[in-house]
Amino acid sequence: MTTRSHTADVAIVGGGPAGRALATRCVARNLSVILVDPHPARVWTATYAAWRDELPTWLPDAAISSSIHHPSAWAERQTTLDRTYCVLNTPILQSILSTGSTQVIATKSDHLTADTVKCADGTRVRAEVVVDARGTTLTPRTAQQTAFGIVLDHAAAEPALDGNAAWFMDWRRDNGTAEDASPSFLYAVPLDDNRMLLEETCLVGRPPLPLGELKRRLHIRLRNRGVTVPEDSLVERVRFAVESPPGRSGDTFRFGARGGLMHPGTGYSVATALNEADVVALAIARGDDPQRALWPRSARRVAALRRVGLNALLALEPSDVETFFATFFALPVDHQRAYLSDRRDATATAKVMTSLFAASPWRVRRTLMGAPFSASRSK
């Protein structure tokens, strides 16, 4: 096997949104970048979404496919969320994050250290900073989110929306489940001017609801709402871990979902990676420690609190999940924003969790009090 050597300021392993975002922002800081990915030309097919105020200013508006200014939620009652929600245009996002002067090596990485990537084909990449951005891994012990979705035109999907522009979460039980069954919700958002995604979602489970069960529930829900689903409808299947792999990959710096940037209680990570890519790129350009830049003490405290929130979600009785979210959606929007989007203000996160606890019924409080405290495993 012939060994080929390459050098750069930054070597990034993993060519998903997080790895590509970091590569883009490193190039913007005049850093040389090598991206190592076995399938760099693979087309992204997932649906990515974010709150509008989470997106970085450097991301052009063309990356937004649709905006919902006041999405709706149903948890015991209908609520309007006073925050703009966006669905990203996945092909354009991939195009934006794939342009530039990044050198791409299409091979599988074998071993990573702080300054070296050894590849399966014998290639060796040396860099001042090696970044592991390979995403999360599925194991029987990791909490996961699963979803099964169908893409319909707006007219066909309309009966499922009850006159609303979108459902951020709809926890009603018209999906054929009993009160004691593990709950799932309808996520319904416009992908563009013509198409709607209707998705039955298991927010988090250990183990999660199987895709077959979510498909069954979605079809029952849509049938109950008078939605006809053509047999040739495009489908979306979702399954990913909401927890990053335990421990650290040696001294290698982790980024994106692999590095703990996924919110464990929601499964959102792309907007955070887009924002934090600038923070990390600036630290590398200055010669600072990117780990310290990405994970100051306040961020570590927020991560630990969010993990408590994840444990609480996993511990809730099925009949109490909707009540929990009804209480959350009744909080002021700045409280919601702090918990969902602010990863550096531990005081605000703790305040929201305290408010949520105080406003919850006693049976839910009892579960929240029993949620085990465990620090984030990604640092």
Side-chain angles (χ1 to χ4, degrees), residues 39-298:
H39 306 289
R42 177 180 291 165
V43 176
W44 300 348
T45 58
T47 299
Y48 302 118
W51 299 104
R52 184 66 179 87
D53 54 32
E54 291 179 327
L55 297 176
T57 56
W58 57 262
L59 190 71
D61 289 343
I64 298 174
S65 181
S66 67
S67 294
I68 306 98
H69 297 294
H70 298 286
S72 298
W74 187 291
E76 297 187 344
R77 67 191 69 87
Q78 183 168 323
T79 305
T80 299
L81 307 180
D82 191 20
R83 208 175 165 198
T84 299
Y85 188 72
C86 297
V87 177
L88 302 181
N89 187 312
T90 301
I92 290 180
L93 178 68
Q94 183 172 16
S95 176
I96 291 169
L97 299 184
S98 299
T99 57
S101 55
T102 302
Q103 180 182 350
V104 179
I105 299 178
T107 187
K108 184 178 180 180
S109 58
D110 238 3
H111 181 68
L112 279 64
T113 68
D115 59 6
T116 305
V117 180
K118 296 179 181 177
C119 302
D121 65 355
T123 301
R124 180 171 297 193
V125 179
R126 293 190 61 84
E128 291 297 319
V129 177
V130 170
V131 181
D132 187 353
R134 291 177 292 179
T136 58
T137 54
L138 294 172
T139 72
R141 299 184 63 182
T142 55
Q144 299 171 32
Q145 182 172 124
T146 50
F148 182 88
I150 296 173
V151 178
L152 300 176
D153 63 57
H154 280 234
E158 187 175 358
L161 297 170
D162 297 332
N164 298 286
W167 285 119
F168 180 66
M169 285 181 172
D170 182 350
W171 289 99
R172 283 177 286 184
R173 292 274 187 172
D174 58 347
N175 58 359
T177 59
E179 289 294 319
D180 60 351
S182 295
S184 57
F185 64 89
L186 176 66
Y187 173 74
V189 293
L191 298 178
D192 50 39
D193 291 339
N194 302 310
R195 301 175 303 147
M196 291 285 304
L197 172 66
L198 305 175
E199 199 158 73
E200 193 76 20
T201 304
C202 168
L203 182 62
V204 63
R206 192 190 288 134
L209 288 170
L211 293 178
E213 170 62 10
L214 292 170
K215 178 181 179 180
R216 185 189 72 83
R217 293 185 182 190
L218 179 62
H219 280 278
I220 292 174
R221 187 193 296 275
L222 296 183
R223 185 167 61 249
N224 285 337
R225 298 194 187 186
V227 176
T228 300
V229 179
E231 291 186 3
D232 60 348
S233 296
L234 181 68
V235 302
E236 178 174 83
R237 296 175 177 87
V238 177
R239 185 186 178 196
F240 58 84
V242 300
E243 302 174 283
S244 55
R248 293 179 60 181
S249 48
D251 294 322
T252 307
F253 171 64
R254 289 179 171 184
F255 186 70
R258 195 171 192 85
L261 294 189
M262 181 177 292
H263 196 307
T266 67
Y268 284 66
S269 67
V270 172
T272 304
L274 294 174
N275 272 295
E276 298 295 347
D278 259 337
V279 174
V280 172
L282 178 59
I284 295 173
R286 289 177 172 176
D288 297 337
D289 182 358
Q291 182 74 12
R292 288 188 177 183
L294 186 62
W295 289 105
R297 178 181 297 179
S298 57

